[in-house]
Amino acid sequence: MKKNMYSILKGTFLISDDSFKNWRFIIFLSVLAIVMIASSHSADKKVYEIARLNNEVKELRSRFLDGRSRLMQLKMESAVALKMKEKGLEPSVIPPKKIKVKSQK
């Protein structure tokens, strides 16, 4: 056991005659570590993108609600009458009449 520990600490297991299997295992572990790191970075990138999109959705929703409330105020009859009064137009006192057109055969 003591000999194996000294072999690992000195690095002789990498240069011995049967070191090819050790190098294969080390390369496999290195490639696996690189894949894991890349996967972790990709997941973090997606999490940040999701957070950014959620903030954008909240901002757009608030802008939509603000625009909709302003539109509702502008569509009210009192607001339209006030705007027309500024331009010199007033609502008609005489109610509208329905015109019926008879078809000519």
Side-chain angles (χ1 to χ4, degrees):
M1 185 73 167
K2 192 174 185 181
K3 181 181 175 190
N4 288 338
M5 291 301 283
Y6 282 132
S7 171
I8 291 172
L9 291 175
K10 289 182 181 181
T12 57
F13 72 97
L14 296 175
I15 56 173
S16 63
D17 293 333
D18 61 343
S19 67
F20 181 69
K21 64 180 178 180
N22 295 336
W23 277 107
R24 284 192 313 183
F25 187 68
I26 290 172
I27 290 172
F28 171 73
L29 287 179
S30 300
V31 168
L32 192 62
I34 289 171
V35 168
M36 288 177 59
I37 290 170
S39 175
S40 174
H41 283 296
S42 175
D44 287 343
K45 191 173 165 183
K46 288 178 184 176
V47 166
Y48 286 125
E49 182 71 14
I50 288 170
R52 184 187 65 78
L53 289 174
N54 280 336
N55 288 337
E56 187 176 342
V57 164
K58 287 178 185 176
E59 180 184 338
L60 290 173
R61 184 174 289 136
S62 68
R63 286 175 50 193
F64 166 73
L65 292 174
D66 182 46
R68 185 170 65 177
S69 65
R70 282 191 282 140
L71 176 65
M72 293 301 280
Q73 289 175 354
L74 289 174
K75 283 173 48 176
M76 291 182 358
E77 185 179 351
S78 59
V80 172
L82 185 65
K83 292 267 186 192
M84 292 297 110
K85 194 172 189 181
E86 290 173 1
K87 294 184 179 187
L89 296 174
E90 293 183 5
S92 176
V93 182
I94 304 168
K97 295 183 180 178
K98 199 180 249 188
I99 300 174
K100 292 185 180 180
V101 177
K102 294 182 182 178
S103 62
Q104 296 177 1
K105 289 187 180 181

